Amino acid sequence: MCCAVWISGVITLAITGFPKFEPVAMLGGVLWCSGNILAVPIIHLIGLALGLSLWGVTNLLMGWCSGTFGLFGLHKQTVATPEFNYVGATVCVLAVVIFAMVKSKPKSKEESTRLTDREVVVGGDWGEVKVVHDSGSGDTEAQDSARSIEKVAVSSTGDTDLLAYLDRIPVLYKRIVGIGLALISGLFYGSNFDPPQWLIDHGEDGEKHSANGIDYVFPHFCGIFLTSTAYFLIYCAAMKNRPRIYPEAITPGFISGLVPRFFFFFLHCGPS
């Protein structure tokens, strides 16, 4: 996905006439990627609905605080009716509290042990991961007899992935950690445009830095690509050069990284 993001950044750079590269804007990409990488453990711990709701509202509040109070040296933004502005922010704060009270229903033992084609099941001793292959037959007994279970090369010394560790956390701690990570992710998402905005606010009307936000897209996307590469190398090192790669996710991931960026570009630059 981040490769597609960077490619869309290169295309945007060419379309906008190769504006000046601003390294400070790369910090926004670092923040975005850091928030994005937390999505997997968040969804695993508290589910997609609760995780997305929490980091979405926190994202909104962080962006609102940055503009309203001028955080990180940004210029304060004014609105025509500040009363409505604060009412909306208050509703968002209440939404975070309400969302945090939502209970996610854990899978039952029958659901968690239901095996499908190429499903990964963590179980047994610490560090033991079993990969189950389903024959795809319609007969239940035939499926049960045709399933072959093989142990992945994972040692008992802790050479396993993050999800295997998260599965061993008590339910209460899972919820606390998941909510905390969702709030942190929202803070990262909500502040990822602050570095480019800081350049715009302190650009002396375009004399030092461009006043056009689209000119910071390429360095922002460079920050995303470099940060994701660094995280992937750290993951490879933690897995002792045996990372888990899911080929089925490559094409959807590339599309999800490419299409929204072009929509964003044409949305902001199409009319002009």
Side-chain angles (χ1 to χ4, degrees):
M1 182 180 73
C2 292
C3 290
V5 169
W6 185 80
I7 291 174
S8 65
V10 173
I11 297 174
T12 303
L13 178 70
I15 294 176
T16 54
F18 299 94
K20 178 184 176 182
F21 186 88
E22 296 282 2
V24 174
M26 295 176 64
L27 294 175
V30 175
L31 293 171
W32 185 91
C33 190
S34 299
N36 194 59
I37 201 173
L38 296 176
V40 173
I42 291 171
I43 294 172
H44 190 79
L45 289 169
I46 59 176
L48 176 61
L50 179 57
L52 181 60
S53 300
L54 285 175
W55 81 56
V57 175
T58 310
N59 176 7
L60 187 152
L61 285 173
M62 185 63 196
W64 176 80
C65 290
S66 298
T68 302
F69 303 111
L71 301 182
F72 314 116
L74 300 179
H75 293 171
K76 294 183 180 181
Q77 305 293 322
T78 58
V79 294
T81 54
E83 295 80 10
F84 291 160
N85 198 263
Y86 283 98
V87 169
T90 303
V91 172
C92 289
V93 173
L94 294 176
V96 173
V97 177
I98 295 174
F99 285 141
M101 297 172 64
V102 175
K103 294 182 179 180
S104 57
K105 181 181 179 181
K107 290 184 179 180
S108 64
K109 292 184 178 179
E110 294 181 357
E111 291 176 334
S112 61
T113 56
R114 192 177 299 156
L115 305 179
T116 56
D117 185 29
R118 302 185 69 179
E119 181 178 359
V120 179
V121 180
V122 180
D125 297 332
W126 170 252
E128 179 179 324
V129 180
K130 297 179 180 180
V131 180
V132 180
H133 302 279
D134 196 337
S135 64
S137 174
D139 186 3
T140 303
E141 295 183 359
Q143 289 182 11
D144 292 338
S145 61
R147 288 173 178 173
S148 60
I149 300 179
E150 57 179 308
K151 293 183 181 179
V152 178
V154 178
S155 65
S156 60
T157 59
D159 181 18
T160 183
D161 61 7
L162 175 63
L163 300 185
Y165 173 76
L166 295 178
D167 282 332
R168 301 177 64 89
I169 300 178
V171 176
L172 177 61
Y173 292 155
K174 279 185 178 181
R175 185 173 181 82
I176 295 174
V177 174
I179 291 176
L181 291 178
L183 296 179
I184 293 173
S185 177
L187 293 177
F188 285 153
Y189 282 137
S191 58
N192 83 95
F193 289 117
D194 287 348
Q197 186 62 46
W198 185 90
L199 293 172
I200 295 174
D201 290 347
H202 296 80
E204 298 180 1
D205 297 329
E207 294 182 6
K208 292 179 60 177
H209 309 291
S210 174
N212 189 1
I214 204 69
D215 292 340
Y216 301 103
V217 166
F218 179 65
H220 189 277
F221 288 179
C222 283
I224 292 176
F225 178 72
L226 293 177
T227 305
S228 65
T229 302
Y231 285 147
F232 182 71
L233 293 177
I234 293 173
Y235 170 69
C236 290
M239 293 293 291
K240 297 182 179 179
N241 203 28
R242 288 181 295 185
R244 287 191 179 184
I245 306 297
Y246 300 93
E248 296 88 349
I250 294 178
T251 300
F254 190 89
I255 295 174
S256 68
L258 195 65
V259 174
R261 274 75 201 177
F262 280 117
F263 175 77
F264 172 83
F265 175 80
F266 288 113
L267 179 66
H268 287 76
C269 297
S272 59

